[in-house]
């Protein structure tokens, strides 16, 4: 190869001119920067979408799936709670019995009601109490037509079905769900009837005396002052005649007679706790404050006729309380998270506020 050819080949292998290299480097740098900006924009968009979605899930979706109540193998979520609460409010509004001032109690009582109904559902069969499809149909018709019109021949089947359809539309529940609620109510009615029929003629009772003080601010102070006088040796009966705000009991020296367990919650607190002749500390009641004295020991005695109606009404409550105690002792009943906390209570109210059909926003004109 000649010197000229070698020089020509060498020139062909030379790198590009310095200006061309810089332009290529700049082009690649701009391309990388554009890709980084594009990726950052995508990440920002994803973040902008994920944060609200996560917040929505945490506030509105997740709590619905959290467990509110467990009884044996049955599990209920806060979503189940909200479905029943909304249905109860909507039904009360539909039939004209809704009282807004009852909202607070209703929110707190709903978990207790769910617990109560599930205990009945699981344990009523142990009392040989079951419901038939006919029982459920009667309960459904009673909830739609009113109990007095269940067998009204003037209401056709077509009219009943239309009323049922409208009610389900208002309540936003399926017919199957509505029937399940009716089945629970029918079971409760049959169980209560069976328990009342089986109320024993004799029950354990205790002879009690009471000095009752009114619910004014001084009622509790008066009860404490009376207890000091009893501790100093004064007669309980004499003080009952002097101080009791219950005129009938005062005339009898505070003598209530023989009191069975379950006739009144305020008596349940002292019925078995007091020794013969012992006087209780002041007991707060829904009427004020009371002092109690027990005489003798508990005895099995005939139920008084004036006590029987009250005891009959209390049979189901006492039966449920017994079943619940057994479940708690067996660690088969729980409310994860402790039930309705203040945070959960606020969540429930926020959920209800979202339902504009239940609680429509008032216009500026009222």
């Amino acid at each position: 190869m000649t010197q000229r050819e070698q020089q020509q080949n060498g020139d062909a292998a030379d790198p590009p001119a310095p200006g061309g290299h810089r332009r290529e480097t700049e082009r690649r740098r701009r391309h990388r920067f554009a890709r980084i900006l594009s990726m950052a924009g995508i990440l920002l968009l994803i973040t902008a979408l994920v944060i609200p979605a996560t917040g929505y899930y945490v506030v509105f979706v997740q709590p619905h799936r959290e467990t509110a109540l467990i009884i044996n193998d049955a599990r209920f979520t806060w979503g189940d709670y909200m479905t029943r609460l909304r249905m109860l409010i909507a039904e009360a509004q539909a039939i004209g019995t809704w009282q807004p001032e009852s909202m607070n109690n209703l929110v707190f009582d709903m978990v207790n009601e769910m617990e109560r109904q599930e205990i009945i559902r699981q344990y009523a069969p142990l009392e040989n109490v079951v419901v038939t499809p006919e029982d459920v149909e009667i309960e459904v018709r009673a909830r739609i037509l009113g109990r007095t019109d269940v067998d009204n021949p003037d209401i056709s089947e077509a009219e009943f079905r239309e009323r049922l359809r409208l009610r389900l539309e208002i309540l936003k529940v399926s017919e199957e769900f509505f029937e399940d609620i009716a089945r629970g109510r029918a079971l409760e009615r049959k169980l209560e009837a069976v328990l009342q029929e089986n109320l024993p003629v004799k029950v354990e009772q205790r002879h009690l005396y009471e000095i009752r003080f009114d619910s004014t601010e001084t009622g509790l102070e008066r009860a404490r002052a009376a207890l000091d006088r009893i501790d100093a040796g004064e007669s309980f009966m004499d003080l009952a005649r002097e101080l009791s705000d219950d005129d009938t009991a005062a005339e009898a020296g505070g003598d209530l007679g023989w009191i069975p367990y379950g006739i009144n919650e305020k008596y349940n607190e002292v019925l078995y706790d007091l020794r013969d002749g012992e006087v209780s500390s002041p007991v707060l009641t829904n009427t004020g404050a009371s002092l109690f004295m027990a005489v003798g020991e508990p005895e099995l005695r005939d139920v008084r006729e004036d006590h029987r109606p009250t005891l009959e009404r209390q049979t189901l409550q006492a039966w449920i309380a017994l079943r619940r105690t057994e479940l708690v002792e067996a660690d088969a009943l729980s409310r994860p998270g402790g039930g309705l906390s203040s945070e959960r209570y606020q969540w429930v109210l926020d959920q209800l506020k979202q339902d504009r059909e239940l609680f429509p926003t008032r216009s500026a004109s009222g």
Side-chain angles (χ1 to χ4, degrees), residues 206-273:
R206 191 82 184 273
H207 195 171
L208 291 182
Y209 288 74
E210 178 185 16
I211 306 176
R212 187 178 302 175
F213 302 91
D214 61 28
S215 57
T216 63
E217 293 182 2
T218 60
L220 184 57
E221 295 177 6
R222 292 172 58 210
R224 288 170 175 159
L227 185 59
D228 289 340
R229 293 173 62 179
I230 292 169
D231 290 341
E234 293 193 50
S235 165
F236 188 98
M237 290 78 160
D238 290 342
L239 287 175
R241 294 186 183 95
E242 175 189 343
L243 302 174
S244 183
D245 291 323
D246 184 327
D247 294 337
T248 301
E251 292 178 3
D255 191 356
L256 299 175
W258 289 88
I259 303 297
Y261 187 87
I263 197 73
N264 190 306
E265 287 186 6
K266 68 177 181 179
Y267 301 144
N268 291 348
E269 292 187 39
V270 298
L271 214 59
Y272 296 113
D273 292 342

Side-chain angles (χ1 to χ4, degrees), residues 26-74:
E26 180 65 20
R27 185 186 68 79
R28 291 178 179 176
R29 187 186 68 78
R30 286 199 301 268
H31 180 67
R32 285 196 301 271
F33 185 68
R35 284 198 306 173
I36 291 172
L37 284 179
S38 176
M39 291 298 297
I42 292 173
L43 289 175
L44 285 173
L45 178 61
I46 292 174
T47 302
L49 294 173
V50 167
I51 290 177
T54 302
Y56 180 86
Y57 177 83
V58 170
V59 174
F60 293 101
V61 178
Q62 181 179 347
H64 280 80
R65 299 177 179 177
E66 292 176 355
T67 301
L69 175 67
I70 298 174
I71 301 179
N72 288 320
D73 294 330

